[in-house]
């Protein structure tokens, strides 16, 4: 961090000079023009009272803004972290500013413009007096907030408000605000903080967009070019890191808004940091795209990179469970969903500018509101005209990487069951060391969980609402995930420098059949000399009510290791088919790589071919049935060791541990099979439908798994381990029976 | 248990003889007559297709029964515990029998009568061949099921089916069924099991009603008299216990149905075992009351004991949280609610025979179904005719004991907050050692929990679905509750013989004011030589959004003791205002009385006047602020020690421990004060509104508590400790200020 202080001091000289030159020459443009347009406003006014969802959304923001106007203007001297008073107040201010601007345009009542103007004047008086924010934690401290990121949020929203009242202000007032507030503000988060502005990161996206938005309002092309293509020089070095441990600069890195579209978005519209951050970035991406489209259509932003910005909205909707919660991949906070304000905006814009896909209308109906602008009106009109059709989430693969060649996320869905299989790239500084990990959902409830992050966003009493140290010591570590840990050490030794150089490699993905949906991927860099190859299938048989998950994890190595495979089941354990010892006192399972946060609650021994674990979760019975080796250790764990501040949830886990082997295969079935009702007190199908699971063959070429059901049905899945093309012909004889097929896998039913 | 085996063998001789004499002389009565009547059926047929809720309820049972008819008749040889196949099948049979009978009457299709008849014939063939059930756990083993209780369930439902097809059967068929099945069945659960039949207990209620119902159908007055007044002789002794540890016989105990109304029901309609068992007993009480009313109106059963049976339905509805879940008092399984089938029946009957209270209709609307009979039609008609008005749950006291003089349950409600304060009697064998304990709910979510029971009802893999040993070692123990534990020993030494002789004593209850609702009670028998006096108030101040709970627990003793006051908060700990040590490994807090099930997760020291604990639960921030003593120990606990089978939930707790004192006062405030949204990520009012709490005075006559708020408002609550009448005049001078008032308490605002 110290390297930055000096660096920043040096930059400020430059900044002082730049200031004067960058004031835009007043130039008469039409306003508003960003998210509201003159024609849009006219149309909105004409439809007022006739479009229910628009009217109620308008009434909501009116009520909110009127209450704020009544409470007066509050522009406190910045002091607090997120969650604290000054932080929350400035955050509220920019949200209200934007809404007040919109109300002025739509309702044509001066009081809203006056409110915006007065608040801007208060900021223009305060801003020039501000040093950097007193909280020192950030690698890029803001002035209103503890980090430039939040200052950028402020400017993105404030720009829209400025656009709305632009014509209401006198030329002199505009000049004053631009000189005292907007231009210095834009310069501070760009020239003043190149380590923030000149990156490929969601932070920089906000920074770029903030500068771009105010540039568009002021018709300042210098700011716009900076926004689109970054600062020309930045003096950043390759060693620099942010306070999350992420790199600042990569050799040859392009920067600016376009670079932030190019790099983190895959051709499938997957954002490499994961859905939680994609949601966060969605707002600046789309609000700016809309503004750029409106003001500078020549950039053809919505067509850019094969329309990836529009595509990314549907991608993001597909990255949510049945009730709209985003899968908590990487540093994702659970509970964030497509009900967030960012998704309302993104969806409305994607609808208006993306061909008015009627499936989006059904999500907007669930959201229950629209943005109060051109896009929101279009959505509300579509709903009013009964054009909505259901948004169907299907099984799909979302490739990762700018070119789509850095692995991906495989999502397998069938009848309420959702399997999320992660074989993606590292995901920048918010990535976890969780190669080939997975999570399972049933009707929107987590069954095998991804822990998510160790942070309580904006809750001040938990570390100022910022990342907790347990995010590094636990949440990011491999053992916190449903994947293989070798020798109690995280993938890539838990080192970002290494992890960020590698992505897993997809073997195949096939979700065409209604009976089996399957994905397979390999990881050979997580541990040197060891290859992990996992194949996961979601299988539905007509004889049983629920689909089940079959997990085949093959490990091949050049040397002897210990392998741990954790299962973070959620719910209450009902029964096991093996015996285990329970320790008298609970000790941590290890000392590092996350093991220091696990208590050992029980240790079992294997004396059968299959072990099973039966549990109840949200009134559904599940069983995990696994193939076991004679020397396997079975560990019951509980999160919470070495967590004196109770930052972690006390969730259960189960680990299959195999010691002193080079190669290993872990096969397990995770199966919902019955229901319980605490009201009727009926337990239906409380026990597994699986009689046995067996590895029939496992070598370089093929792995064959046989599942026998309680009704004596037999399913055999054969996976082609080395030749996974769709066309390849295969033939293999197992137990004197010959199987012949084309493609990477074969499922037989008997 | 062994004493019973011999006893039962002896009884069987008598039984063989009794059989022949008890066959009813065939006598022509009108059928159906129990829950359906001839006039009722005519009315139902006339309204078919015109009463939506009735029609949909009818369609539901038709679909269910048609599927069963298609699947054929299954009457397996009894073998399993609850949760197992034969248990669940026989249970399903009686439910379907009853529904099929109803369908025959309403739809007038013979296939339903034929199905009922065929199944009865199968039972008539099987029953005489059956020994007692092979599972030996019960003190009163049944024949179809492991306990007579379930056999009685069978007969209660089967009687209704018999009533419905009575006229469809030939005289000869009836004679055969009665001789082979119904009479021996009724005799077995009565004469054959006096230790089951001749008790005051929900088990006996079912037994009495089963015999009474079949007696009514057959017009067999001998059975009816047995049902109403019990067996004349039973040879039971005072030492006998059931398998839950409950007494069988009390000296001078009246028995039979009337005794089972007289004794467990208080004049307020509170059933001493608690709402979970009241719900369970509600069905036989009301279904039999309805039948008795229809067939033998001369008993005036609905007027009996000041109409307590009708009153008890509203009482039970009031014993549920905002979303209808019953408070898990005593051995209550969480999740049981007024959506249960028993409550649908009870509510419909209470509506029809209890003056057609339109508030009940709103609950029926929530239930979404009605019973398919006379009562259900009345309810569905009321709803169709838009007569429903909201059922308002208010603050109320429910007195316990046959005469209402054995303490009670105080329920304080205000704006979504519900405080349940228990100062009742023991609650028979399902009672817990939890004198003066409480639980708190906010909008239907548990904030300070009552653990409930340690049982997974009907889930076979958990101890056959029966009570787990942790129910005794944990759930019933005092330390499992939010109340005082002296010297790490449960109330009454955890002895039922002692506990069942005492009830707490109400001091006062006042819920008239909208600002403060308050209840106060004393317990002087839980610990010899020690008196506990707890006053709990729910206070709402117009300056704050949420009401808060003030808890004043006074302990006075003749000798030195250790006092533990646990707080079973639910949610994630955010922050404390005191420091504490975290142990490296987790050990059990003690060795008995439930302490063996608590891990110690942290131990704090007090160096301030108030301690506070801030947590987040269901997106609401709470703070507990307590007055502390300099030597108090603060213990963070976690349930789950010595629980090798994972029978207990790993829930958190917090204990204030005070050592080596005679008298003590524990004052705490439990306060919701803010909200969090994982979607907007806004945290609002994350911190407590309380600046300080202080005991101004505490002596034999008065206890005065001063609360200072962050806005400098001051509230002072003065409790009159020894004179709690409404009329008494009080005057006390505290810190030179004189307070004067009438009644048991005074709240001043400054
Ligand atoms: Ca993770
Ligand atoms: Ca509830
Ligand atoms: Ca209890
Ligand atoms: Mg993760
Ligand atoms: Mg969900
Ligand atoms: Mg309890
Ligand atoms: Mg509830």
């Amino acid at each position: 961090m110290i390297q930055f202080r000096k660096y920043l001091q040096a930059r400020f000289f430059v900044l002082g000079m730049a200031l004067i030159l960058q004031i835009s020459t007043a130039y008469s443009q039409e306003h508003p023009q960003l998210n509201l347009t003159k024609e849009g406003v006219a149309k909105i006014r004409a439809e007022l009272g006739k479009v229910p969802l628009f009217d109620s959304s308008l009434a909501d923001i009116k009520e909110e803004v009127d209450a704020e106007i009544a409470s007066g203007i509050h522009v406190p001297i910045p002091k607090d972290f997120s969650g604290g008073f000054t932080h929350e107040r400035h955050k509220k201010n920019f949200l209200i500013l934007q809404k007040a601007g919109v109300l002025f345009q739509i309702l044509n009542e001066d009081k809203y413009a006056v409110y915006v103007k007065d608040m801007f004047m208060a900021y223009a008086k305060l801003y020039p007096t501000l040093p950097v924010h007193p909280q020192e934690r950030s690698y890029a401290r803001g002035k209103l907030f503890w980090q430039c990121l939040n200052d950028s949020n402020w400017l993105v929203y404030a720009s829209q408000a400025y656009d709305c009242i632009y014509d209401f202000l006198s030329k002199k007032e505009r000049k004053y605000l631009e000189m005292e507030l907007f231009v210095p503000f834009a310069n501070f988060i760009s020239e003043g903080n190149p380590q923030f502005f000149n990156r490929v990161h969601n932070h920089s996206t906000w920074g770029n967009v903030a500068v771009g938005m105010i540039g568009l309002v002021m018709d300042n092309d210098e700011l716009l070019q900076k926004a689109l293509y970054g600062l020309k020089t930045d003096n950043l070095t390759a060693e620099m890191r942010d306070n999350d441990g992420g790199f600042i600069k990569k050799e040859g890195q392009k920067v600016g808004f376009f670079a932030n579209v190019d790099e983190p978005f895959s051709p499938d519209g997957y954002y490499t940091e994961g859905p939680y951050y994609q949601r966060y970035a969605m707002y600046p991406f789309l609000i700016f795209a809309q503004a750029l489209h409106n003001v500078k259509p020549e950039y053809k932003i919505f067509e850019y990179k094969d329309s990836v910005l529009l595509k990314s909205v549907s991608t993001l909707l597909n990255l949510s469970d049945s009730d709209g919660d985003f899968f908590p991949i990487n540093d994702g906070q659970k509970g964030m969903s497509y009900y967030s304000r960012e998704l309302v905006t993104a969806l409305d814009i994607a609808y208006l500018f993306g061909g008015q896909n009627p499936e989006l209308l059904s999500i907007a109906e669930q959201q229950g509101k629209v943005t109060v602008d051109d896009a929101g009106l279009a959505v509300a009109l579509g709903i009013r005209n009964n054009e909505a059709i259901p948004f169907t989430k299907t099984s799909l693969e979302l490739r990762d990487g700018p070119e789509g060649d850095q692995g991906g996320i495989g999502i397998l869905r069938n009848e309420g069951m959702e399997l999320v299989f992660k074989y993606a790239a590292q995901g920048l500084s918010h990535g976890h060391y969780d190669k080939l990990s997975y999570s399972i959902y049933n009707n929107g409830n987590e069954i095998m969980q991804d822990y998510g992050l160790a942070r309580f966003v904006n809750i001040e009493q938990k570390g100022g609402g910022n990342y907790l140290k347990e995010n590094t010591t636990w949440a990011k570590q491999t053992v916190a995930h449903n994947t293989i840990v070798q020798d109690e050490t995280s993938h890539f030794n838990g080192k970002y420098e290494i992890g960020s150089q590698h992505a897993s490699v997809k073997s195949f993905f096939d979700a065409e059949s209604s009976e089996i949906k399957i994905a397979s991927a390999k990881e050979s860099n997580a541990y040197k000399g060891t290859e992990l190859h996992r194949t996961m299938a979601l299988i539905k048989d007509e004889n049983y009510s629920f689909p089940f998950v079959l997990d085949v994890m093959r490990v091949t190595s050049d040397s002897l290791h210990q392998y741990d495979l954790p299962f973070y089941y959620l719910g209450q354990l009902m029964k096991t088919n093996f015996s285990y010892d329970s320790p008298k006192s609970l000790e941590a399972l290890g000392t590092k790589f996350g093991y220091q946060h696990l208590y050992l609650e029980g240790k079992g021994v294997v004396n059968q071919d299959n072990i099973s674990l039966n549990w109840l979760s949200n009134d559904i019975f599940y069983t995990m049935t696994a193939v076991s080796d004679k020397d396997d250790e079975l560990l019951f764990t509980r999160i919470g060791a070495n967590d004196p501040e109770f930052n972690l949830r006390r969730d259960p886990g189960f680990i299959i541990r195999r010691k002193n082997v080079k190669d290993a295969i872990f096969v397990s079935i995770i199966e919902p099979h019955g229901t319980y009702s605490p009201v009727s007190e009926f337990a239906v199908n409380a026990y597994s439908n699986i009689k046995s699971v067996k590895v029939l063959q496992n070598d370089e070429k093929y792995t064959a798994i046989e599942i026998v059901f309680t009704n004596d049905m037999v399913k055999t899945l054969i996976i082609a381990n080395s030749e996974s093309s769709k066309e390849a012909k295969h033939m293999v004889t197992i137990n004197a029976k010959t199987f012949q097929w084309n493609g990477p896998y074969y499922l037989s039913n008997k």
Side-chain angles (χ1 to χ4, degrees), chain A:
Chain A
M1 198 74 71
I2 288 163
Q3 62 203 37
F4 275 118
R5 299 248 169 86
K6 284 197 194 139
Y7 176 78
L8 290 180
Q9 282 160 13
R11 299 285 317 173
F12 270 105
F13 289 101
V14 183
L15 193 61
M17 315 275 272
L19 241 169
I20 293 146
L21 300 174
Q22 291 179 1
I23 302 293
S24 70
T25 41
Y27 170 91
S28 179
Q29 249 193 331
E30 208 168 56
H31 291 275
Q33 56 177 357
L34 303 183
N35 59 323
L36 277 171
T37 58
K38 266 213 142 34
E39 314 85 87
V41 169
K43 199 167 168 196
I44 287 169
R45 288 186 186 169
E47 294 283 358
L48 280 187
K50 297 183 232 162
V51 195
L53 195 53
F54 191 89
D55 293 332
S56 63
S57 301
L58 177 64
D60 284 350
I61 73 166
K62 184 173 184 313
E63 185 185 5
E64 196 185 346
V65 173
D66 287 350
E68 280 302 318
I69 291 178
S71 113
I73 284 171
H74 312 281
V75 179
I77 292 172
K79 176 168 87 53
D80 300 328
F81 269 134
S82 39
F85 169 72
T86 71
H87 182 103
E88 296 303 318
R89 185 65 245 183
H90 287 294
K91 180 172 173 186
K92 191 165 204 173
N93 282 352
F94 67 67
L95 294 171
I96 295 291
L97 275 171
Q98 190 269 342
K99 289 171 181 166
V102 162
L103 289 174
F104 170 63
Q105 283 295 333
I106 293 174
L107 302 178
N108 203 13
E109 288 182 41
D110 282 0
K111 71 168 179 182
Y112 296 111
V114 169
Y115 176 77
V116 173
K117 175 180 144 184
D118 289 352
M119 193 178 298
F120 278 155
M121 291 298 175
Y123 273 108
K125 210 172 142 193
L126 175 71
Y127 192 81
T129 72
L130 292 178
V132 288
H133 194 276
Q135 301 289 354
E136 303 188 350
R137 192 181 307 176
S138 177
Y139 76 106
R141 288 152 69 189
K143 288 193 163 189
L144 296 181
F145 300 92
W146 69 279
Q147 49 178 356
C148 279
L149 171 62
N150 304 107
D151 279 46
S152 302
N153 300 156
W154 189 95
L155 188 56
V156 168
Y157 285 86
S159 299
Q160 297 171 57
Y162 185 39
D163 180 42
C164 283
I165 68 156
Y166 195 92
D167 291 338
F168 176 84
L169 297 172
S170 70
K171 205 169 150 178
K172 202 174 141 195
E173 286 165 341
R174 289 201 297 262
K175 199 161 180 175
Y176 172 74
L177 288 179
E178 294 183 8
M179 175 90 88
E180 295 296 310
L181 180 61
F182 298 129
V183 173
F185 202 113
N187 283 333
F188 179 74
I189 59 176
S190 54
E191 304 287 343
N193 286 278
Q195 81 286 11
F196 162 77
F197 194 80
N198 260 17
R199 292 178 78 186
V200 170
H201 192 282
N202 72 70
H203 287 189
S204 314
T205 301
W206 277 98
N208 302 158
V209 165
V211 171
M213 293 286 277
I214 198 70
L216 287 175
V217 185
M218 303 186 331
D219 195 30
N220 181 325
D221 197 57
E222 197 177 337
L223 288 183
L224 181 63
Q225 295 308 314
K226 222 187 267 182
L228 295 176
Y229 303 106
L231 304 172
K232 294 233 166 61
T233 57
D234 55 23
N235 294 339
L236 299 172
T237 66
E239 296 80 48
M240 291 177 173
R241 300 283 208 106
D242 67 15
N243 41 305
D244 297 331
F247 288 117
I248 299 292
K249 188 165 189 166
K250 243 166 63 180
E251 209 47 58
Q253 178 81 74
K254 284 193 183 173
V255 292
F257 183 76
F258 284 119
N260 270 294
V261 176
D262 287 339
E263 194 145 331
F265 279 110
S266 82
D268 294 332
Y270 177 75
Y271 189 72
T272 193
E273 295 184 279
Y276 179 79
Y277 279 95
Q278 179 161 356
R279 175 271 325 170
Y280 186 59
M282 226 56 227
Y283 184 83
F285 276 121
L286 284 159
I287 202 82
F288 184 58
Q290 179 184 32
L292 196 63
H293 171 91
N294 284 340
V295 184
K296 307 274 181 188
E298 59 271 28
Y299 284 102
K300 298 194 175 173
I301 184 63
F302 283 122
E303 291 158 53
Y304 188 75
K305 196 178 170 177
D306 202 15
S307 302
V308 74
L309 287 178
L310 294 169
K311 196 186 295 179
S312 69
V313 176
S314 295
T315 300
L316 191 46
L317 294 174
N318 262 304
L319 282 162
S320 69
D321 70 14
S322 305
D323 36 41
D325 296 319
F326 295 127
F327 301 128
I329 291 169
N330 296 331
D331 285 342
Q333 177 161 276
K334 290 181 182 180
M336 181 53 78
S337 73
Y338 61 52
Y339 294 94
S340 67
R341 61 178 177 276
E342 296 91 347
L343 263 284
V344 173
T345 302
L347 184 138
D348 291 355
I349 293 173
Y351 177 78
L352 178 58
F353 298 100
Q356 315 225 349
N357 173 4
E359 288 195 9
L360 295 179
L361 298 177
S362 69
I363 304 283
E365 281 180 316
Q366 288 177 49
Q367 290 172 333
K369 61 182 159 204
V370 292
T371 55
V372 181
D373 58 16
D374 299 6
L377 181 70
V379 168
L381 279 169
I383 290 171
R384 186 197 67 186
N385 299 338
N386 292 315
E387 290 162 15
I389 62 171
F391 186 92
T392 310
K393 292 185 215 167
T394 54
S395 299
L396 80 175
E397 180 182 49
L398 298 169
R399 291 168 298 158
D400 197 2
E403 311 300 329
D405 57 0
Q406 298 179 16
I409 305 280
I411 306 175
L412 305 181
R413 293 185 159 104
N414 204 344
E415 299 190 5
M417 283 280 284
E418 299 178 302
L419 169 70
V420 182
F421 180 25
K422 188 182 182 220
Y423 44 94
Q426 180 67 24
L428 303 182
S429 63
H430 291 298
H432 287 192
Y433 303 100
D434 61 350
K435 293 292 158 192
L436 309 190
S437 71
Y438 71 92
S439 51
I440 302 177
Y441 302 79
N442 194 357
N443 288 321
N445 296 313
E446 299 174 277
I447 300 317
M448 286 284 172
Q449 73 162 326
D450 181 313
Y451 186 87
L453 86 182
R455 178 185 178 184
F456 297 84
V457 182
N458 293 337
I459 297 182
E460 202 222 16
Q461 52 270 56
K462 282 292 191 197
N466 299 311
Y467 285 98
L468 297 166
K469 70 175 187 312
E470 290 79 10
N471 197 57
T472 304
T473 60
W474 167 252
K476 280 180 181 255
Q477 299 301 323
T478 307
V479 76
H481 298 85
N482 301 307
T483 190
I484 287 283
V485 192
Q486 179 178 286
D487 300 333
E488 300 180 41
T489 304
S490 284
H491 297 167
F492 309 111
N493 243 303
K495 291 208 160 71
Y496 177 66
E497 309 83 273
I498 309 175
S500 58
Q501 291 170 30
H502 302 287
S504 303
V505 177
K506 188 234 318 229
S507 296
F508 61 89
F509 179 94
D510 182 1
E512 296 305 305
S513 149
S514 63
E515 188 192 0
I516 178 167
K517 303 183 188 295
I518 186 166
S520 185
K522 293 180 181 175
E523 170 58 48
S524 50
N525 297 296
Y527 298 112
K528 242 181 131 173
T530 299
E531 187 185 69
L532 309 177
H533 176 199
R534 189 171 223 169
T535 305
M536 302 204 74
L538 184 62
I539 300 173
K540 173 74 178 77
D541 186 272
E542 56 179 10
N543 289 289
Y544 295 109
S545 312
F546 299 94
F548 64 89
V549 171
L550 172 62
D551 171 25
V552 181
M553 173 64 104
R554 297 181 70 232
V555 189
T556 44
S557 182
D558 58 11
S559 48
L560 294 173
H561 296 286
Q562 169 187 298
Y563 300 110
D564 285 350
L565 184 61
F567 296 82
Y568 288 99
Y569 72 96
L570 277 178
Q572 174 101 29
L573 187 68
M574 294 283 113
K575 202 184 173 102
T576 62
N577 75 337
F578 55 88
S579 57
Y580 54 89
D581 296 323
S582 303
K584 193 109 201 79
S585 65
L586 299 192
E587 313 274 351
L589 189 56
T591 58
K592 50 188 194 296
F593 290 114
Y595 283 80
Q596 72 275 28
H597 292 298
L598 288 173
Y599 284 117
L600 179 65
E601 285 196 327
K603 191 169 180 173
V605 288
V606 171
N607 44 24
Q608 61 260 80
D609 295 333
N610 287 168
I611 55 153
S612 77
L613 204 75
N614 172 261
W615 76 97
L616 180 65
S617 187
N618 282 294
D619 298 335
I620 295 190
F621 289 107
Y622 295 86
T623 297
M624 189 277 280
T625 308
V627 176
S628 43
D629 260 24
K630 215 171 60 66
D631 293 324
D632 283 356
E633 286 180 9
L634 308 172
L635 313 175
F636 289 96
T637 63
R638 177 83 43 188
I639 304 166
N642 288 295
D643 176 31
E645 309 213 334
F646 297 93
N647 287 337
L648 300 175
R649 302 187 303 272
R650 265 48 178 170
D651 292 337
F654 177 73
I655 295 177
I656 301 181
R657 170 170 288 183
R658 201 162 297 165
K659 285 170 158 170
N660 255 312
V661 291
K662 279 184 172 183
D663 301 344
I665 181 165
F666 294 86
V667 177
S668 53
I669 289 175
I670 292 140
E671 170 209 11
H673 47 73
T675 56
Y676 183 69
S677 159
V679 171
S680 73
E681 297 185 335
F682 273 113
V684 180
N685 296 330
Y687 295 106
S688 172
N689 298 318
I690 308 291
K691 195 184 277 174
S692 69
V693 203
K694 201 165 159 181
V695 180
L696 297 180
Q697 177 159 342
N698 183 37
D699 56 33
E700 211 176 304
K701 293 190 73 179
Y702 300 107
T703 298
I705 309 297
E706 180 193 79
I707 309 171
V708 182
F709 295 78
T710 47
N711 67 358
D712 293 323
M713 175 176 70
V714 179
K715 284 188 193 285
T716 308
L717 178 73
I718 310 176
I719 304 159
N721 291 327
S722 38
E723 168 52 271
S724 59
S725 79
K726 230 178 169 152
E727 300 73 25
K729 288 183 200 305
H730 296 276
M731 186 170 82
V732 60
T733 303
I734 300 171
N735 293 345
K737 197 184 160 198
T738 300
F739 297 88
Q740 239 182 321
W741 76 96
N742 293 352
Y745 72 96
Y746 180 67
L747 180 67
S748 98
N749 280 302
K750 258 198 322 190

